[in-house]
Amino acid sequence: MSGGAQDQAIRTGRVTRTFIYVVLIFFALFYLLPFFIMLINSIKPLPEITGGNMMALPTDPTIEPWKSAWSTAQIGVEATGLKPYFMNSILMVVPAVAISTILGALNGYILTKWRFRGDNLIFGLLLFSCFIPFQIVLIPMAMVLGKIGLAGSLTGLILVHVVYGIGFGTLYFRNYYAAFPTELVRAAMMDGAGFFRIFWRIMLPVSGPIAVVCIIWQFTNIWNDFLFGVSFGGLDAQPVTVALNNLVQSSTGVREYNVHFAAAILAALPTLLVYIVAGRYFVRGLMAGSVKG
């Protein structure tokens, strides 16, 4: 290739990349437009919003809607804000994600390195559980929670999400562990290592990428869940998604849109922070698990 043709190819490549970047930036900005509208309206006084242009920047910014959404907004019959329900969600999500991830890793370890008769059937049933609609299990789950005395409690909600998350955790870790050298496990067994010692010392230390995928997936699903929260959470055990719905639907005579926008952003902040902190590992771990499976 001559020098002129090579330079032309380089210029063409730069133009193409520039065009692709411009298109991607346009779509990214278009996708973020609703969030921008929510953000600017959450710091506006209510008269500015009801006055017309929701796209305009605030002329008199205020953080009072955020304070109200957090601690003084009326939810139901009490002026409690999102604060107690936010804590309920944290107390529910952390143990549910941790337990379902550990159990998923343990199941994946057993189904790949400790094979037994019927293991494929068990994995198939666990995989099938991932596709059961939430609505189908509401009545049976409510009956079980009532019989074991966990109805309307945070512990009951944690149990529900753990049970529903085990299938996804097992799927992720089984696919990831499938390509892990079985010879290493057998060598550890010959050296006298037992079942749990192999799991804690050999399998878990190499499970970082897929563990991040599982944690992000479980955290997002559990934090954003509304159906289980409104069905099984008592008055003192409702998650933030239920409180957000009650706040928006409450009838106090005036629709405080600025407070509603602020509350929606507050409710979404944890999942946003999780993706900002660990999002770059998500695709990496997901691809690692899919290729190794």
Side-chain angles (χ1 to χ4, degrees):
M1 180 183 293
S2 64
Q6 186 175 5
D7 292 341
Q8 180 64 30
I10 293 175
R11 285 194 295 268
T12 302
R14 290 175 178 173
V15 171
T16 302
R17 285 196 299 271
T18 302
F19 175 75
I20 293 174
Y21 291 152
V22 170
V23 172
L24 291 176
I25 291 173
F26 170 78
F27 281 111
L29 293 176
F30 182 77
Y31 185 79
L32 291 172
L33 183 60
F35 178 76
F36 171 75
I37 294 175
M38 292 175 60
L39 183 61
I40 62 173
N41 284 281
S42 69
I43 57 175
K44 287 181 181 179
L46 188 59
E48 283 193 39
I49 300 176
T50 56
N53 191 1
M54 296 183 66
M55 296 287 292
L57 294 176
T59 57
D60 187 18
T62 176
I63 61 172
E64 289 303 318
W66 288 75
K67 293 181 179 179
S68 177
W70 180 248
S71 59
T72 61
Q74 180 173 340
I75 300 176
V77 296
E78 297 182 359
T80 59
L82 294 183
K83 183 178 179 179
Y85 306 97
F86 196 92
M87 296 305 301
N88 284 344
S89 287
I90 293 177
L91 294 174
M92 175 187 67
V93 167
V94 173
V97 170
I99 295 172
S100 60
T101 300
I102 291 295
L103 291 179
L106 192 60
N107 287 342
Y109 166 54
I110 295 172
L111 292 173
T112 54
K113 306 308 175 188
W114 296 78
R115 305 297 298 273
F116 56 91
R117 181 178 297 179
D119 59 345
N120 287 329
L121 176 61
I122 292 177
F123 175 66
L125 293 174
L126 287 170
L127 184 61
F128 176 73
S129 69
C130 298
F131 302 98
I132 298 178
F134 286 5
Q135 294 81 358
I136 292 179
V137 302
L138 289 181
I139 295 178
M141 191 70 75
M143 295 175 61
V144 171
L145 292 177
K147 289 182 178 181
I148 62 178
L150 295 179
S153 67
L154 275 178
T155 305
L157 279 176
I158 292 171
L159 177 62
V160 170
H161 287 296
V162 167
V163 170
Y164 224 91
I166 288 177
F168 289 102
T170 302
L171 173 63
Y172 290 141
F173 282 96
R174 180 188 180 274
N175 288 345
Y176 191 80
Y177 288 156
F180 187 86
T182 305
E183 291 76 12
L184 292 178
V185 177
R186 292 176 180 172
M189 293 173 61
M190 293 180 63
D191 290 338
F195 177 87
F196 286 104
R197 188 176 183 85
I198 295 173
F199 178 66
W200 289 106
R201 293 295 182 90
I202 298 178
M203 304 303 293
L204 276 188
V206 300
S207 304
I210 203 65
V212 170
V213 172
C214 187
I215 290 172
I216 292 178
W217 177 268
Q218 300 277 43
F219 184 95
T220 303
N221 284 344
I222 296 174
W223 185 273
N224 292 333
D225 171 70
F226 172 79
L227 185 59
F228 286 161
V230 75
S231 300
F232 305 132
L235 293 177
D236 297 327
Q238 291 180 340
V240 70
T241 49
V242 177
L244 178 61
N245 176 76
N246 294 340
L247 171 62
V248 174
Q249 298 299 328
S250 63
S251 56
T252 58
V254 178
R255 291 287 185 179
E256 296 181 307
Y257 297 108
N258 50 357
V259 177
H260 297 170
F261 285 132
I265 296 174
L266 284 171
L269 273 180
T271 51
L272 180 62
L273 292 176
V274 167
Y275 273 101
I276 291 176
V277 173
R280 60 177 177 173
Y281 302 106
F282 182 78
V283 176
R284 186 185 308 171
L286 190 62
M287 293 301 294
S290 63
V291 172
K292 291 186 177 185

